[in-house]
Amino acid sequence: MAKKSKKGAPTDVRIKLIRYSLHHPKTPRPLRFGTMRMLRHWTIHRAWKLYQAAQRKEREYELERQYNKMRDACEELRLTSPGLYERAVAKSIFRYPIVEFRIPTDTPAKNGWNHEWKRG
Amino acid sequence: MNLLSRYLPERLGGHSVPFFQPRHAFQPPPVDTPPVNPPLVNPPLANPPAVDPTKGSLKPVEAHGEFPRKDWWDIAAGVVISRPPLLTRDLPEFEQSYYFYQRRLNDRLQLPFARWFYFKKGTLAEDEWKRKQAAEERYQPYGPRAWADELLKGSTEHKLDPLKDYERLVATTVTGEEETMSIMQARRESAKEAEARGEEVEYPPEIVEKPFPRTTQADIENNTKRLDRKMSRTLYLVVKKKRDQHAWRFPQSRLSGKWEHLRWGAQRTLLEAAGPNMNTWFVGSAPIGLYKYKYPPGYAQNQVGKKVFFMKARILAGQANLTNNKQDLEDFQWLAKDELKEVVGNKYYKAVQHMLVAQ
């Protein structure tokens, strides 16, 4: 496992790397900024926080609107037709994961979208 | 009672046993002792409302009726079929420049790259690494100009482009192309010879595969029938009915038959409207939205108007096909939410917009 030379220093290069990063003269590495540079950094940080908060709020509002629409539709369904409502809100026992789902990637697939898919 | 009927609610034939039984069942005090703390109950209203909201205001309970339904509103099932985004979203300028700023700070804060760990001394890989690192003028986080880490005005270095990243990757990192160059050359030559002889040949792929661009031919032409247009946005299917006004709509049709419920109705609607060659998945059986409109007077005998309940579906592969459609449809389009606004009427868009996703 650990090869040790005669003097006791390990020859395993991974251990060398760990020691390098632990005892490097620049570890840890605090950056020293001048006043104007610090102000710019602070401005960027504040702007980013504001931006993230706005994005988060927008996402929350969109979800809330979707939920409200769904709730109102189900309520209307319940008032018009109890039978349809029951069948709409009944939980199904059989639920399978969908194999064909794809997560978004940075660049498209080689084959692109399969427009020629046929049933059966 | 069997395993299933234990937990179903009473109205569906179960016994409504709760999952968690309380440890100590609540014992109400005997009747003759007065309650210590009177229960907090809202006092009854002085003027109770005339209509009971749980029963609906338009008609008495008897009018709900058994199957077949004798409602005063037509009930229709509509389909909102979406193609979710295939690519990550396009980052706005602010985010791109912020991430660039963070990358530069990261370069400054990390320890210098430990070349001796990755490349052994005297190998071809090390030579390639040294050559490639020296060739380009890059920001040096530990050099004399380490302080100049911010983006200069007018520079485009922060802009994200997968093709540019690929080229930079090939130019600055070790790809082993010198070693394999001769092998690749030999393979390509043999492939050419085989083709000249008339055999079917597959050319060997590139060493580092080049990514495909984020915009396709469909984007350039703005062909709204294709599904590989605007791959970072969600697209929705709208179909055109044969009439002048209010032509573009989500596919919908009235519920037919005695036993059809909303999800079946939506599946049948999509089949009749857009053909069977679409691999779709309907999300649950509850509607996501409603569009209600009244008929003009004298249009129908009993019905006041129509209620369209929209069901959510996703397309996984295939394309819509309007030949032999049973709903009198002329045309279809796959549109993003903001494009939908111009094509569909204002009133319809207002009823429908909150179901849809902007990105």
Side-chain angles (χ1 to χ4, degrees), chain A residues 35-60:
Chain A
T35 315
M36 294 312 292
R37 176 70 177 87
M38 195 63 205
L39 276 175
R40 289 199 290 278
H41 178 78
W42 175 84
T43 316
I44 291 170
H45 176 75
R46 287 290 302 269
W48 182 248
K49 284 288 180 202
L50 256 173
Y51 181 73
Q52 288 290 77
Q55 293 256 291
R56 205 181 318 128
K57 262 228 151 66
E58 190 52 50
R59 264 180 267 134
E60 291 293 323

Side-chain angles (χ1 to χ4, degrees), chain A residues 66 68-80, chain B residues 73-78 80 250 252 262 286-293 306-311 347-355:
Chain A
Q66 285 185 306
N68 287 344
K69 198 92 180 95
M70 198 165 167
R71 185 204 52 212
D72 293 341
C74 288
E75 183 65 24
E76 190 78 37
L77 186 63
R78 191 177 68 86
L79 296 175
T80 42
Chain B
W73 290 79
D74 276 331
I75 297 182
V80 174
F250 290 125
Q252 71 179 62
L262 283 177
I288 58 167
L290 166 71
Y291 176 55
K292 210 160 68 162
Y293 63 95
K306 194 187 262 190
K307 288 184 183 172
V308 188
F309 291 97
F310 293 104
M311 303 301 293
K347 187 184 168 212
Y348 191 74
Y349 183 75
K350 271 194 181 151
V352 141
Q353 62 182 328
H354 296 315
M355 297 191 294

Side-chain angles (χ1 to χ4, degrees), chain B residues 13-174:
Chain B
H15 298 270
S16 228
V17 172
F19 275 94
F20 297 106
Q21 302 281 3
R23 277 256 182 95
H24 310 286
F26 173 66
Q27 303 284 344
V31 180
D32 37 342
T33 57
V36 177
N37 296 316
L40 292 166
V41 170
N42 287 333
L45 293 172
N47 301 316
V51 177
D52 184 356
T54 56
K55 289 210 167 59
S57 55
L58 286 178
K59 46 200 176 289
V61 179
E62 294 81 50
H64 284 303
E66 312 285 330
F67 286 111
R69 296 175 289 279
K70 286 202 185 80
D71 276 1
W72 295 359
W73 290 79
D74 276 331
I75 297 182
V79 183
V80 174
I81 179 162
S82 66
R83 190 227 58 201
L86 302 170
L87 300 180
T88 49
R89 66 188 169 100
D90 294 316
L91 291 180
E93 173 107 24
F94 178 54
E95 282 191 54
Q96 287 185 18
S97 32
Y98 179 77
Y99 292 138
F100 176 83
Y101 179 72
Q102 289 292 307
R103 277 200 294 279
R104 282 282 168 87
L105 281 183
N106 192 39
D107 287 342
R108 289 184 79 179
L109 287 166
Q110 274 182 336
L111 289 180
F113 181 68
R115 186 178 74 198
W116 46 268
F117 180 77
Y118 294 99
F119 304 111
K120 287 236 162 68
K121 252 191 179 172
T123 53
L124 279 173
E126 202 204 7
D127 285 339
E128 195 183 335
W129 171 258
K130 279 196 271 196
R131 179 173 55 83
K132 284 189 165 169
Q133 288 295 301
E136 242 186 56
E137 252 192 49
R138 301 168 68 218
Y139 170 70
Q140 299 297 335
Y142 280 87
R145 278 187 65 86
W147 55 268
D149 59 346
E150 290 167 278
L151 191 68
L152 295 176
K153 193 172 170 177
S155 159
T156 54
E157 248 187 290
H158 61 293
K159 296 235 193 299
L160 287 171
D161 179 17
L163 202 60
K164 214 169 65 177
D165 285 343
Y166 164 82
E167 282 161 10
R168 200 186 308 149
L169 199 75
V170 171
T172 57
T173 58
V174 171

Side-chain angles (χ1 to χ4, degrees), chain A residues 117-120, chain B residues 267 270-280 317-324:
Chain A
W117 188 88
K118 295 276 180 292
R119 191 173 289 274
Chain B
Q267 281 169 332
L270 194 62
L271 203 67
E272 284 177 1
N277 297 330
M278 290 204 294
N279 193 359
T280 55
Q319 174 66 292
N321 188 358
L322 291 182
T323 57
N324 308 326

Side-chain angles (χ1 to χ4, degrees), chain A residues 94-109:
Chain A
F94 306 107
R95 287 181 214 169
Y96 301 108
I98 310 291
V99 179
E100 293 93 344
F101 275 163
R102 297 178 72 110
I103 47 173
T105 51
D106 284 327
T107 49

